Amino acid sequence: MNKSLTNKILITLGFLFIYRILAYVPVPGVNTEVIKEFFTSNADNALGLFNMFSGNAAERLSIISLGIMPYITASIIMELLAATFPNLAKLKKERDGMQKYMQIIRYATIAITIVQAIGVSIGLQSLTGKNGAAAIMIDINLFIAISCASMLTGTMLLMWIGEQITQRGIGNGISLIIFAGIVSGIPAAISGTIDLVNTGEMNFLVVLFIALIIIATVGVVIYVELGERRVPVSYSRKTVMENQNKRIMNYIPIKLNLSGVIPPIFASAILMFPSTILQASTNEYIQMINDFLNPNSYMFNVLTFLFIIFFAYFYASIVFNAKDISENLKRQGGFIPGVRPGESTAGYLNELASRLTFTGAIYLGLISTLPWVLVKILGVPFYFGGTSVLIVVSVALDTMRRIEAQIYMNKYQTLSAVGL
């Protein structure tokens, strides 16, 4: 490993360390004990999911308690708009236009952060602890102004850290921030498991069984995330220098899981949000709906599975543009053997992507509901799985690929410098 790559890794670790420090800086004027008590009692709904993505910063109401989610929300909204409006899609493809596109995302992030910060501040006004202590210890109007400024600053800092990691570190800064937030909770989980074993509340064989399932789950995720269908492409105008009549065969890689981790995130957020809102009501019928949408119920997990399949197809149709691929192939003189260039190629790629998306959607649904199945049917206290393991493994694989690419790049530069 050369000096350049080592510096990039150290820069990345340094910025992630700053991110973890910011998670412990609370918004002025709040009672952190009341906030933590509130999140502890809501660990199984949307608030628990949000707290996990923020690296437990939400339960401390730190200045980065909103996490990087406003930026991700703005990015997803822009992706949907780009898929709807051709002019915006054209802007995204151009070099100068891409800078304007990213600037719009930043402005949208600021707007979303302000709205969410104000909403959180107003919501905390009525929050009290078990002993009657209030969550806000200063004037509400002053608190709204302070918390809005603090959270906006924290989110902007996270955006800056993500961009610095992407430009100066090993890349993919936003994903690494989410990765660091989720991984930060693993030591506490391991410590809690050890305490349960020491006190006799959990058998050591159960822990061993859980460890085996964790290894198997990670193995399946790695296998599927690396899986791809390679569609062969022939370029009639490209020939090998030694043999002018021999065609060079390339391929179009189509991932088995085209939509990534977006479907589980969307499905969990949509299903958990009503439960989080309705749980404060004492109405009998509303409570029935709340029980119906309980994360531990059969119906909730069935709906989660179906929603994941829907969002997998929906998001895959956005990220995979078969028409653009077919036009680029035609422009470069390439074609898929046995398929006519143009619309026939686009139709073939769409059909192939649709079949792969079905398999990928089933995989996402099974991984996301695996923890509940083990807890409900087998009675195993297993909570490692779902969205968290998908994000952790996917980001780890992407980071490894980036490091390998840097290593190969340095080797080529060395060979070029010595004249080989």
Side-chain angles (χ1 to χ4, degrees), residues 126-342:
S126 58
L127 181 64
T128 57
K130 293 180 180 179
N131 57 357
I136 301 176
M137 299 184 294
I138 59 176
D139 178 70
I140 181 61
N141 295 322
L142 178 61
F143 176 74
I144 290 175
I146 292 175
S147 65
C148 187
S150 300
M151 292 182 184
L152 179 59
T153 303
T155 301
M156 293 300 101
L157 279 172
L158 284 187
M159 282 180 54
W160 179 77
I161 288 173
E163 291 177 356
Q164 292 301 308
I165 292 175
T166 301
Q167 296 173 5
R168 302 173 59 187
I170 56 178
N172 207 0
I174 301 299
S175 297
L176 283 174
I177 288 175
I178 300 176
F179 172 87
I182 296 174
V183 170
S184 65
I186 292 180
I190 294 175
S191 177
T193 303
I194 293 174
D195 291 339
L196 290 175
V197 174
N198 292 335
T199 57
E201 297 181 38
M202 183 183 294
N203 192 293
F204 178 75
L205 294 178
V206 174
V207 176
L208 183 61
F209 179 67
I210 293 173
L212 292 175
I213 294 180
I214 290 175
I215 295 172
T217 304
V218 172
V220 169
V221 172
I222 293 174
Y223 180 79
V224 176
E225 291 299 322
L226 292 178
E228 62 183 20
R229 170 68 185 275
R230 296 181 176 181
V231 181
V233 177
S234 178
Y235 291 91
S236 58
R237 291 199 294 258
K238 289 187 176 181
T239 56
V240 180
M241 295 300 296
E242 293 81 4
N243 187 350
Q244 295 292 331
N245 297 321
K246 184 177 180 180
R247 293 177 178 176
I248 299 176
M249 295 294 294
N250 289 327
Y251 60 87
I252 302 171
I254 305 178
K255 292 186 65 177
L256 182 60
N257 179 24
L258 279 169
S259 53
V261 299
I262 296 297
I265 293 175
F266 274 20
S268 299
I270 288 176
L271 289 172
M272 285 184 172
F273 183 75
S275 176
T276 304
I277 299 299
L278 297 176
Q279 67 180 355
S281 176
T282 56
N283 185 281
E284 180 181 354
Y285 296 103
I286 292 180
Q287 283 299 314
M288 288 176 61
I289 298 174
N290 189 34
D291 293 337
F292 183 77
L293 294 176
N294 189 299
N296 294 319
S297 66
Y298 285 94
M299 187 52 63
F300 177 88
N301 286 275
V302 171
L303 289 175
T304 298
F305 190 87
L306 295 176
F307 269 54
I308 286 174
I309 293 177
F310 168 77
F311 282 118
Y313 275 98
F314 177 75
Y315 197 71
S317 66
I318 295 176
V319 298
F320 184 79
N321 195 325
K323 185 177 179 180
D324 284 352
I325 295 175
S326 65
E327 289 178 355
N328 290 334
L329 278 177
K330 190 175 181 180
R331 193 180 305 115
Q332 296 170 6
F335 62 93
I336 299 173
V339 182
R340 294 183 62 183

Side-chain angles (χ1 to χ4, degrees), residues 30-40 59-60 129 133:
V30 296
N31 189 332
T32 55
E33 293 298 325
V34 175
I35 303 296
K36 186 174 182 179
E37 182 182 300
F38 173 71
F39 273 95
T40 301
E59 68 179 24
R60 306 181 189 101

